[in-house]
Amino acid sequence: MVIIMKPQTPKSEIDRMEERLINLSFDVHRSQGENYTILGLIGDTTKIDVSQLEANEYVERIIRVQHPFKRVSRSFQPNDTVIDIAGHKVGRGNLLIIAGPCAVESQEQVLTIAKDIKKHGAQLLRGGAYKPRTSPYSFQGLEEEGLKILLEAKKQYGLPVVTECVSPDTVELVASYADVIQIGARNMQNFALLKEVGKTDKTVLLKRGMSATIEEFLMAAEYIMAEGNQNVILCERGIRTYETYTRNTLDISAIPAIKQLSHLPIICDPSHAAGKWEMVEPLAKAAIAAGADGLIIEVHHQPELALSDGAQSLKPDKFGHLVKVCKEIAALNLSLV
Ligand code: PEP
Ligand code: MN
């Protein structure tokens, strides 16, 4: 970190600042120019409160050299993290395919879809038992009954389960059924929830908030990892822009950006990005081509009857086609490395 002091700052104030930084355990290198004094800090600056330093009337500007995140950072861990979910790996060239309905509606619905997605190459089953809906009048999910249905599907088809947790007080319950706990876009900055899932040993699928910058997204992952849980999969699911034709705008650039900044696996959810089933496969292909480590796709055997997100849900045979072409693209990526 570099602190630029204003011209005409009294020497006593610069000394005071330097002393404060030394007390915070930094090595400080002072460069005295004709007008400006620059203080260069050596040490771990992730825990420093920049706004406190900026509040000093003699500080002109602060430039961060280090990212504010640490555990998620590629400089902290240079090699790609590989996460193993009941034998299914994600990261470092291992592609993870997650599929299933938006919401768990009934046992019959989940078992039908689980059978179909397994046939078409899904490795994990998704399904929401707690649904964070925009309207309080929309279907809110079957809650624990829904978790039991997912477990039954797991038993019958051997598909580990990904399901969303929406509140800190249900983390323990959701963790007792799920193989992967999903944190949805609306909860990406629910810090109490992030801390709670950070205390578990379950893999967390963290979705990008719809208005979150890449740095905020990575800081949310840092919350989970700072509590001890290192198993975090990131998920780009589209962000809100001025465009209304699609439900969200898939930020493809987030995939290579996150690959540069972090060692964590990054997967893509083209279903919530598009909001339209016809666009799911093209976006999935683009994400894999850009280096995504996997996909999470909404699939429903009767999208026209779905209780949530039917318009963006693929029928099973369309999902099968998507998996086939995306695996071909992933293989091509690997062969080009
Ligand atoms: C979902 O996965 O069904 C969901 C609600 O996604 P998001 O949090 O990305 O909107
Ligand atoms: Mn959904």
Side-chain angles (χ1 to χ4, degrees):
M1 182 178 286
V2 176
I3 301 175
I4 304 166
M5 305 299 288
K6 283 182 181 160
Q8 274 100 47
T9 301
K11 183 175 175 301
S12 58
E13 288 297 333
I14 296 173
D15 291 345
R16 210 160 65 86
M17 176 63 99
E18 187 173 305
E19 201 180 305
R20 181 174 172 192
L21 296 166
I22 289 169
N23 286 339
L24 289 169
S25 306
F26 292 106
D27 280 340
V28 183
H29 291 254
R30 191 191 293 207
S31 319
Q32 184 66 61
E34 208 168 300
N35 294 312
Y36 291 95
T37 305
I38 294 174
L39 301 175
L41 271 62
I42 314 282
D44 180 4
T45 56
T46 45
K47 286 193 178 150
I48 209 160
D49 189 335
V50 176
S51 71
Q52 269 186 4
L53 297 177
E54 280 170 341
N56 184 310
E57 61 181 307
Y58 297 107
V59 169
E60 165 99 12
R61 203 150 47 99
I62 293 183
I63 303 167
R64 264 196 182 279
V65 178
Q66 205 179 27
H67 294 297
F69 40 83
K70 182 175 171 180
R71 289 170 173 82
V72 306
S73 168
R74 199 174 270 290
S75 34
F76 187 73
Q77 187 186 308
N79 297 327
D80 284 358
T81 284
V82 180
I83 297 176
D84 188 306
I85 306 135
H88 302 285
K89 291 190 170 63
V90 60
R92 211 182 299 160
N94 298 284
L95 198 69
L96 185 69
I97 309 286
I98 307 170
C102 178
V104 174
E105 298 168 10
S106 68
Q107 177 147 315
E108 194 200 347
Q109 172 237 18
V110 173
L111 293 180
T112 305
I113 296 170
K115 186 175 176 204
D116 283 341
I117 60 161
K118 169 120 190 177
K119 185 174 83 186
H120 290 300
Q123 293 150 299
L124 270 63
L125 169 68
R126 64 146 289 151
Y130 296 85
K131 294 304 304 173
R133 306 302 298 278
T134 301
S135 164
Y137 309 116
S138 300
F139 176 61
Q140 301 286 309
L142 298 181
E143 303 187 342
E144 191 171 1
E145 192 197 327
L147 296 175
K148 288 186 178 147
I149 292 172
L150 289 167
L151 198 58
E152 184 55 34
K154 175 181 168 172
K155 278 190 197 136
Q156 289 200 24
Y157 297 106
L159 291 163
V161 161
V162 183
T163 196
E164 181 162 355
C165 183
V166 295
S167 62
D169 56 312
T170 51
V171 168
E172 208 180 315
L173 178 73
V174 173
S176 70
Y177 288 92
D179 295 281
V180 177
I181 302 175
Q182 179 175 320
I183 301 296
R186 289 157 194 79
N187 273 314
M188 189 207 81
Q189 283 188 318
N190 181 339
F191 300 117
L193 180 58
L194 298 176
K195 284 185 189 172
E196 211 51 41
V197 295
K199 288 180 195 140
T200 74
D201 58 3
K202 291 282 162 173
T203 297
V204 177
L205 175 62
L206 176 66
K207 298 184 98 181
R208 181 177 181 184
M210 55 191 88
S211 304
T213 63
I214 288 170
E215 186 173 297
E216 286 164 343
F217 187 21
L218 293 175
M219 290 306 280
E222 187 79 20
Y223 260 90
I224 299 170
M225 296 179 85
E227 292 296 326
N229 189 346
Q230 307 306 300
N231 298 323
V232 180
I233 303 171
L234 302 167
C235 178
E236 163 59 40
R237 46 77 75 205
I239 49 174
R240 186 160 285 180
T241 66
Y242 52 79
E243 182 55 70
T244 55
Y245 185 73
T246 46
R247 185 173 178 183
N248 291 285
T249 299
L250 182 62
D251 182 8
I252 286 285
S253 63
I255 296 165
I258 285 172
K259 288 256 165 233
Q260 280 173 12
L261 295 169
S262 178
H263 54 88
L264 294 174
I266 165 99
I267 69 166
C268 174
D269 173 350
S271 308
H272 289 86
K276 294 176 160 80
W277 69 265
E278 299 99 314
M279 296 180 74
V280 172
E281 184 181 306
L283 295 185
K285 290 193 282 195
I288 296 299
D293 297 300
L295 296 165
I296 177 165
I297 309 286
E298 286 188 338
V299 176
H300 202 292
H301 62 309
Q302 293 171 311
E304 63 284 5
L305 298 179
L307 294 183
S308 82
D309 289 350
Q312 66 196 35
S313 298
L314 290 184
K315 288 189 178 159
D317 59 331
K318 295 244 172 355
F319 167 69
H321 186 264
L322 176 153
V323 173
K324 187 175 158 292
V325 293
C326 285
K327 281 191 173 164
E328 285 170 12
I329 295 170
L332 185 64
N333 273 354
L334 279 180
S335 72
L336 292 174
V337 173

